[in-house]
Amino acid sequence: MARRPRRAPPPAAADVAGGVERIMADARVIWFPVKHYSPACARQVQRLIAAVRPAAVLVEGPEDATDLIPHLVHPDTAPPLTIFSAYVDRKNRFGLNGRLSPSADVPARFRSWWPMVDFCPEYTALMAGHAAGAELAFVDLPVPGRIPFTHARRLDGTEVVGDHHLATSAYFDALARKQRRRDFEEFWRANFERPDLPVDHFRRRVLTFAWCARYAGSAPGAAPGGDQPLDRDGTLTREAHMRWHIERTLKRLKAADDPRPIVVVTGAFHSVALPFTKAAKAKFKLDRNLDTLLTPYSFTALARLYHMARTPGYEQAVWQAMNAGEPRPYDHAAMALLVQIMRAARDDGLAVSTADAVGAWHAAGRLAALRGNPEVTAHDLLDACRMGYVKGDERVWGGAIARAARAVLVGHAQGHLTPEAGILPLLGDFHAEAKRHRIDLTGAEKNVRLDLHKQDKHRLKSAFLHRCAWLSIPMFGTLDAGRGGMARYFRGPDPIAGTDLHLITETWAIRWTEAVDDRLVELCDRGASIAQAAAAELTARLAEAADDAAATSALLLQCARMMLVDRFDAVLEVVDGAVEGDQRFTHLVDALNHFVLLHAYRGALATRGLDRLAATVAATFRKAVRVLPSVARVDAEALPPILERMLTLARHAVTLAPAEDGDPRARIDRTLLVEALRRLAEDPETAAGLRGAAFGLLHGFGAARERTVAAALSGYLRGSEARRLLAGGFLDGLFQASRAVFMRSPRLLRAINAALAELDWETFKTLLPDLRRAFTRFIPSELDRIGVRVAEEIGLEETADADAPVPAGIARVGAALDARVEAALEGWW
């Protein structure tokens, strides 16, 4: 038996020409290097496969998506589409729960996107291979095999396909500086977007660049641009695994005595290494927590996925010009897009004429020539828009033109998937729920009014809409301008914010857009239904809120609002734990507000009258009262929210009647609050405003007499200078807490008036601003009544006698002022 020939050693990194020629000379494998989302690469690989008619076409992409290829190439399918992989690490296999998720109890989620569009080289390779009858397969690692490398470095556990290594290489950086290119996209379009070149010439150009980008100036195994070494970022593992797929395909074809070559389509950075890589199947484990699916996508979502770095509308226009046989497809696309941008600007009310478009086109051509571009690139087009369409100050008018250009260059295409592929469960549930609740999804704006207190079906519909809003599904229009002039899509009672609770109906503005389906795709790892996705989001936010009683109780209120009844008890346990561990007074009172609403707010919430909530209300009340004395030394800046919540706590003590029977754990004991207030009031070091409020509340509860309050005020007024300055704050807190009591109590008014009457004039002037601020708590009619009572108290008549002589002191001051004014004006006569 003849020995298998030894594989030749890889060429030296410095031997660029030798390495490229070795790759080009491979008779069994046609290595086709691509830049992802390059129309020229897509066109060239399409031409190559149609001419060669290979036995197999192997494409960079997750191998577990190979079974989806028949749906991808189906005649009833139209891009844009995306291969979407989601892995939920429920067993913490990768040890990232609590690092990429809010807590160790919440599983980390990993997601990977492989968008497929008409101008995507991988998509055109599969389509051309399908037409040629070739075997089709993806050969890259699935998500679980990549998590230890790529996902662990990203805070959101999300990965997208890209050309990172090429764009960060030192070789590209040097070329870009020499050519004065602003970014990798501009560099690539100027140097490689040449569909008119012969296929082999094109391959050689791209392979040469990729070889230099990978090996020039880098140590073996090092990543370009100073990133992690290639063995640590997963590149070498992925390439060994891709090579394993290639070798397995070659063996199978050899056994079948099929002499046809295979075509391997990968990113150019991999194409220069794969021919010299040793095959090694990566070790990873697939389980039922991995979902890989094919679903419709949109150009808008594609641009958003790449943080608006992609302009799919532009590339699509170039691709269409190529397929139409235009000799200069980029120029043709740029001219058409300039006209579209002109029309979009006109639709926005901007004065852009056809002459402006002609001028912009000439400017684009001159810019391309100046920059050495063979045809007009997207960068030339955008600069020409600013030159031709912006009239006046660009800081004023440039934004509108930029928005119009961005909208056109991104585009609005929406993909379609053959029904044979089925539908994403979450997407199907959303549309089924929308149909059930008669929600218009035609794109027309509709207002939906719901009566939550009389109609069960309206409550269910409200819960569905709140779930969609909670998940940020963009299905809402603009209802009107809300508080602060902000546009809003919802009007109705909001128990969480504590606003509009007097309203008994909800009104929603509904307007479906194509972005709805894109968002549902992003959420599909959260569950198979809108309710499950909302519950998963709720769980994650509960973990983020940790021991914050206010935040967790707000989430409990949201849970009830969305009618996630099966989750309520579990969420309430988490909230009870947060209340027990939280020692912050403001948080506890906010939580108490939420619990009171949950227990008592009309019939719109299914939790009304729930026995377990009654006990939670009482427990939170006791905890807040117990913590209240700890805020005695609060500084002036932090005082207002503390004071506001102390008054809220007192209001709950009045409105929540003590329960004489039933579960003793649900009883509200006001005496606990009175004792806590007494501790604040009796401590002279308590913040003055807080102490004044404590005295006011005690007076309201009948636990402090007027003379006691007046004595406390006198203690400030007769103290040191620093102590006297606190008197205004004491009165401010007192009036906030007991304005009505003060108005109804002549004794309290007399006591305070007597204390203030003892002040000397200088002290009174110093305190006057604070005293005025304290009395602004009263409305004008109340101030009039106070004035009358004070006048009666000190024996003044209610009305002045206009004919009475001017007091001598005032007359002397007036005469002196007259003399000074006359002296000042003497030079003017």
Side-chain angles (χ1 to χ4, degrees):
M1 181 182 290
R3 281 188 171 184
R4 183 178 179 179
R6 286 177 124 188
R7 179 181 296 173
D15 186 8
V16 181
V20 170
E21 289 308 316
R22 283 269 301 275
I23 297 172
M24 295 287 295
D26 196 326
R28 290 288 284 146
V29 181
I30 300 175
W31 308 94
F32 200 100
V34 301
K35 174 193 174 295
H36 302 293
Y37 308 111
S38 161
C41 288
R43 185 64 171 164
Q44 293 283 12
V45 75
Q46 185 185 58
R47 292 167 54 191
L48 171 76
I49 293 173
V52 173
R53 301 189 70 81
V57 175
L58 307 183
V59 173
E60 181 182 352
E63 65 179 20
D64 56 327
T66 295
D67 292 341
L68 301 174
I69 292 178
H71 303 309
L72 182 64
V73 300
H74 195 281
D76 292 337
T77 293
L81 310 161
T82 187
I83 298 169
F84 176 71
S85 292
Y87 182 77
V88 183
D89 193 4
R90 304 186 191 282
K91 297 183 178 180
N92 200 18
R93 283 176 50 192
F94 298 99
L96 296 174
N97 295 2
R99 290 174 53 192
L100 295 186
S101 66
S103 73
D105 298 331
V106 178
R109 299 176 184 274
F110 307 93
R111 302 186 294 180
S112 182
W113 306 81
W114 286 81
M116 294 286 177
V117 289
D118 283 324
F119 52 86
C120 173
E122 294 87 347
Y123 176 74
T124 56
L126 291 172
M127 292 297 291
H130 175 67
E135 175 187 332
L136 307 176
F138 290 112
V139 295
D140 203 352
L141 285 173
V143 167
R146 300 160 71 100
I147 288 173
F149 306 109
T150 56
H151 290 80
R153 295 184 293 118
R154 296 180 64 91
L155 295 178
D156 58 358
T158 300
E159 181 188 19
V160 297
V161 61
D163 303 283
H164 172 72
H165 285 322
L166 290 179
T168 57
S169 66
Y171 182 71
F172 155 70
D173 188 54
L175 285 179
R177 285 200 306 271
K178 185 175 182 180
Q179 296 183 8
R180 297 183 180 180
R181 303 297 179 187
R182 286 169 282 188
D183 55 34
F184 182 69
E185 291 294 330
E186 183 181 28
F187 167 81
W188 179 271
R189 286 167 179 163
N191 291 277
F192 295 100
E193 286 297 304
R194 299 290 301 275
D196 57 320
L197 295 175
V199 173
D200 284 349
H201 188 182
F202 182 84
R203 286 176 61 210
R204 185 174 282 105
R205 282 170 64 97
V206 177
L207 285 169
T208 300
F209 168 70
W211 185 285
C212 295
R214 179 154 185 159
Y215 300 117
S218 298
D227 282 352
Q228 293 190 61
L230 297 178
D231 60 339
R232 291 185 60 192
D233 74 359
T235 298
L236 300 184
T237 301
R238 291 174 56 204
E239 289 172 346
H241 189 75
M242 286 191 273
R243 182 73 198 201
W244 174 80
H245 272 290
I246 295 166
E247 291 293 333
R248 191 173 66 159
T249 301
L250 289 173
K251 289 178 182 178
R252 188 167 58 253
L253 293 174
K254 183 177 181 180
D257 198 23
D258 189 338
R260 293 177 297 169
I262 66 172
V263 174
V264 176
V265 181
T266 61
F269 191 81
H270 303 305
S271 297
V272 295
L274 281 170
F276 315 109
T277 297
K278 183 178 179 181
K281 186 177 186 300
K283 296 180 180 179
F284 56 87
K285 182 181 179 182
L286 298 180
D287 58 43
R288 60 188 179 87
N289 293 315
L290 172 67
D291 288 311
T292 297
L293 50 93
L294 182 67
T295 185
Y297 213 45
S298 70
F299 279 175
T300 304
L302 177 63
R304 189 169 58 247
L305 181 67
Y306 286 91
H307 305 289
M308 305 309 290
R310 299 241 64 88
T311 52
Y314 168 77
E315 279 92 358
Q316 183 72 13
V318 170
W319 176 251
Q320 291 171 347
M322 287 180 182
N323 286 334
E326 294 291 339
R328 297 179 66 81
Y330 298 91
D331 282 354
H332 181 86
M335 182 182 294
L337 292 169
L338 276 172
V339 173
Q340 291 181 38
I341 294 169
M342 175 193 70
R343 291 171 177 165
R346 285 178 178 176
D347 291 342
D348 285 344
L350 299 178
V352 181
S353 66
T354 304
D356 295 328
V358 173
W361 168 244
H362 286 300
R366 292 189 181 97
L367 285 171
L370 180 66
R371 293 164 175 169
N373 299 330
E375 297 184 53
V376 173
T377 68
H379 287 76
D380 301 328
L381 187 153
L382 287 171
D383 290 340
C385 282
R386 287 194 289 270
M387 295 170 65
Y389 292 163
V390 178
K391 300 175 182 180
D393 191 340
E394 185 175 1
R395 292 171 296 182
V396 177
W397 302 106
I401 293 297
R403 286 191 296 273
R406 167 57 60 182
V408 170
L409 295 185
V410 168
H412 301 284
Q414 185 80 22
H416 174 71
L417 187 61
T418 173
E420 295 180 9
I423 187 171
L424 182 69
L426 185 62
L427 195 62
D429 178 77
F430 171 82
H431 285 280
E433 284 281 289
K435 182 177 180 180
R436 174 189 170 198
H437 296 301
R438 297 182 180 180
I439 294 174
D440 191 303
L441 298 183
T442 63
E445 185 153 345
K446 303 282 187 179
N447 286 351
V448 176
R449 187 171 179 273
L450 305 175
D451 189 338
L452 308 184
H453 305 283
K454 296 181 180 179
Q455 299 280 347
D456 287 339
K457 62 181 181 180
H458 284 195
R459 282 193 284 272
L460 294 173
K461 190 173 185 176
S462 171
F464 173 70
L465 292 174
H466 279 297
R467 292 169 189 172
C468 293
W470 172 251
L471 293 169
S472 301
I473 297 174
M475 57 178 288
F476 302 106
T478 302
L479 194 61
D480 59 13
R483 291 174 176 80
M486 298 293 290
R488 58 179 181 174
Y489 57 83
F490 169 78
R491 181 173 61 246
D494 187 347
I496 298 174
T499 58
D500 293 332
L501 297 182
H502 63 286
L503 298 177
I504 60 173
T505 62
E506 290 182 348
T507 305
W508 298 78
I510 307 295
R511 184 172 64 85
W512 182 90
T513 67
E514 66 275 0
V516 169
D517 289 359
D518 298 332
R519 176 58 179 163
L520 291 170
V521 172
E522 295 174 2
L523 293 168
C524 72
D525 60 333
R526 297 296 197 269
S529 68
I530 296 296
Q532 290 177 5
E537 181 69 16
L538 185 71
T539 301
R541 295 203 196 181
L542 271 174
E544 291 175 354
D547 60 349
D548 187 328
T552 54
S553 59
L555 291 171
L556 180 67
L557 196 49
Q558 183 68 35
C559 178
R561 201 180 189 189
M562 296 187 294
M563 293 186 69
L564 300 177
V565 181
D566 58 335
R567 294 286 303 150
F568 188 82
D569 285 345
V571 175
L572 183 54
E573 285 187 13
V574 174
V575 179
D576 284 342
V579 169
E580 185 177 348
D582 200 336
Q583 300 297 322
R584 290 162 288 191
F585 176 70
T586 55
H587 287 193
L588 292 167
V589 176
D590 288 346
L592 178 62
N593 284 336
H594 295 150
F595 291 136
V596 169
L597 280 170
L598 278 166
H599 184 254
Y601 181 66
R602 299 178 180 169
L605 297 176
T607 56
R608 179 182 173 90
L610 194 65
D611 290 341
R612 184 178 175 189
L613 270 177
T616 302
V617 168
T620 309
F621 176 84
R622 289 192 293 270
K623 178 69 179 290
V625 169
R626 195 161 60 246
V627 171
L628 175 57
S630 67
V631 299
R633 305 296 194 274
V634 66
D635 57 38
E637 291 183 359
L639 178 61
I642 297 288
L643 193 54
E644 177 188 350
R645 285 164 176 82
M646 188 172 80
L647 301 179
T648 300
L649 187 63
R651 185 171 64 252
H652 284 314
V654 172
T655 57
L656 299 175
E660 300 299 335
D661 52 7
D663 189 345
R665 295 175 301 173
R667 294 176 185 169
I668 300 295
D669 189 352
R670 296 177 190 169
T671 59
L672 295 176
L673 178 59
V674 171
E675 290 302 318
L677 292 172
R678 185 171 282 116
R679 288 176 59 187
L680 289 176
E682 292 176 352
D683 183 357
E685 298 304 317
T686 297
L690 205 61
R691 192 173 179 220
F695 270 112
L697 292 174
L698 287 171
H699 185 273
F701 284 128
R705 302 181 66 179
E706 291 85 349
R707 68 179 65 178
T708 307
V709 178
L713 176 60
S714 297
Y716 288 101
L717 297 175
R718 295 171 180 172
S720 64
E721 181 179 355
R723 192 75 176 164
R724 288 197 298 272
L725 293 176
L726 300 177
F730 177 88
L731 274 179
D732 192 23
L734 176 68
F735 292 159
Q736 284 190 65
S738 61
R739 193 182 74 188
V741 175
F742 179 78
M743 294 297 300
R744 291 195 301 265
S745 175
R747 290 182 180 179
L748 184 57
L749 185 147
R750 285 197 295 269
I752 292 175
N753 182 62
L756 293 176
E758 297 177 2
L759 295 178
D760 62 80
W761 176 244
E762 292 301 322
T763 303
F764 181 77
K765 286 194 300 183
T766 303
L767 288 177
L768 186 57
D770 290 334
L771 295 175
R772 292 181 62 183
R773 185 176 67 251
F775 277 94
T776 59
R777 301 295 173 184
F778 298 94
I779 61 177
S781 62
E782 292 174 334
L783 290 174
D784 290 342
R785 289 162 56 194
I786 292 172
V788 170
R789 291 183 180 179
V790 171
E792 293 174 349
E793 180 68 24
I794 63 177
L796 291 178
E797 296 181 5
E798 293 187 13
T799 58
D801 183 0
D803 297 327
V806 177
I810 296 177
R812 285 195 300 273
V813 172
L817 286 175
D818 286 344
R820 293 181 62 182
V821 170
E822 183 178 355
L825 296 177
E826 187 174 354
W828 290 75
W829 303 123

